Amino acid sequence: MNKDRKKLLELEKKIGYPFQDFDLLIRAMTHSSYANEHKKEQREHNERLEFLGDAVLELISSDYLFRNYPDIPEGTLTKKRASMVCEPTLALCAREISLGEYLLLGKGEDATGGRKRDSIVSDAMEALIGAIYLDGGFANAKEFIDRFILDDIENKQLFYDSKTTLQEIVQGSYDEDVRYEIVKEEGPDHNKNFYVHALLGERILGEGCGHTKKAAEQQAAYCAIKKLRKQG
């Protein structure tokens, strides 16, 4: 058994869905950079599956919101769905199952930190949904989405709206605005980590770390919200 296949069998166990057509899982995890490097093997990449998975995810998340928020108007539901299925939220869900570790990437993409890039792992998450839908139908795709995307969705949304939410909390109770300060940078340019403090005056409300300044600021804001809510 080759190394790639062994890794993907591990992913199958992790998500709790055994593929009837294992090639669909391989295709879902094959990035275009890998397919381009293996043209002789006629490798198919995951972009068409991503297109399908995106549509399946939109339908299932719409159904979830329609049933769970009966009093919310259409415009608000649309905004809520957009934040549920946006790239950062899907990337967060993908990281919870370490999806980046199972991707088949080209050498260049891998060397420049592709396994941790939001755009790549979120696309792979959608491709995986598309693959499950083709292999096992709507019910299995829904089960996967319920388990790995719609679980704890309020906290996931809070994380990616955290800077806005923190600003609203602070404006209602304090005279100062929140500011963000980078306290440290680590690693090479293609795989850098930023460490950020969320500050109110000189007081540290929260600390965050991420591969982009924005991600680090969001994490710092999220930690600050949790801290202020405990105090309140």
Side-chain angles (χ1 to χ4, degrees):
M1 183 186 297
N2 72 34
K3 187 176 69 174
D4 292 340
R5 191 175 183 87
K6 192 174 179 182
K7 288 276 288 180
L8 293 181
L9 284 168
E10 187 183 302
L11 176 59
E12 252 193 353
K13 284 183 184 173
K14 186 175 279 191
I15 64 173
Y17 178 76
F19 276 82
Q20 297 172 63
D21 180 359
F22 198 74
D23 285 344
L24 278 170
L25 178 57
I26 294 171
R27 198 192 319 167
M29 293 298 103
T30 302
H31 188 255
S32 56
S33 60
Y34 186 93
N36 289 335
E37 284 183 13
H38 295 78
K39 282 180 180 171
K40 288 181 182 176
E41 298 169 32
Q42 296 185 315
R43 287 280 188 144
E44 285 190 72
H45 57 69
N46 64 6
E47 286 173 10
R48 281 172 55 84
L49 283 175
E50 176 205 330
F51 163 80
L52 181 60
D54 175 61
V56 174
L57 175 59
E58 186 158 309
L59 175 58
I60 290 170
S61 57
S62 299
D63 178 76
Y64 171 87
L65 289 170
F66 185 84
R67 293 176 191 280
N68 286 279
Y69 298 91
D71 301 322
I72 291 180
E74 179 267 342
T76 309
L77 287 173
T78 300
K79 286 178 185 172
K80 203 166 182 67
R81 182 183 63 198
S83 69
M84 282 167 65
V85 301
C86 69
E87 182 181 289
T89 304
L90 287 180
L92 178 66
C93 298
R95 286 196 184 94
E96 287 180 347
I97 56 172
S98 305
L99 198 62
E101 291 178 20
Y102 303 99
L103 284 171
L104 302 176
L105 291 178
K107 289 174 185 173
E109 195 65 66
D110 201 359
T112 55
R115 292 184 191 282
K116 295 179 180 177
R117 197 164 294 136
D118 280 8
S119 58
I120 290 177
V121 294
S122 64
D123 288 351
M125 196 72 169
E126 289 181 333
L128 182 54
I129 292 165
I132 293 170
Y133 172 76
L134 283 181
D135 191 72
F138 186 81
N140 282 301
K142 184 177 184 302
E143 189 177 324
F144 175 83
I145 290 167
D146 285 346
R147 184 177 170 193
F148 294 108
I149 296 174
L150 298 180
D151 69 308
D152 198 26
I153 195 66
E154 294 300 331
N155 270 332
K156 286 171 181 171
Q157 281 183 270
L158 172 62
F159 184 84
Y160 283 102
D161 293 335
S162 55
K163 283 180 74 177
T164 305
T165 304
L166 179 60
Q167 191 61 37
E168 287 168 356
I169 291 170
V170 166
Q171 279 176 345
S173 305
Y174 301 92
D175 295 328
E176 298 174 277
D177 284 336
V178 178
R179 60 189 177 86
Y180 297 91
E181 186 177 279
I182 297 169
V183 292
K184 189 168 62 169
E185 295 180 23
E186 280 182 349
D189 286 344
H190 66 265
N191 195 21
K192 196 177 281 291
N193 275 314
F194 296 90
Y195 295 83
V196 166
H197 285 168
L199 298 162
L200 190 63
E202 296 306 312
R203 178 185 167 200
I204 298 170
L205 293 180
E207 300 177 23
C209 173
H211 288 293
T212 64
K213 291 174 189 174
K214 184 179 177 183
E217 287 173 359
Q218 293 283 27
Q219 190 176 66
Y222 183 64
C223 292
I225 292 165
K226 291 201 293 184
K227 185 176 178 179
L228 288 173
R229 284 182 174 172
K230 276 183 186 174
Q231 290 173 1

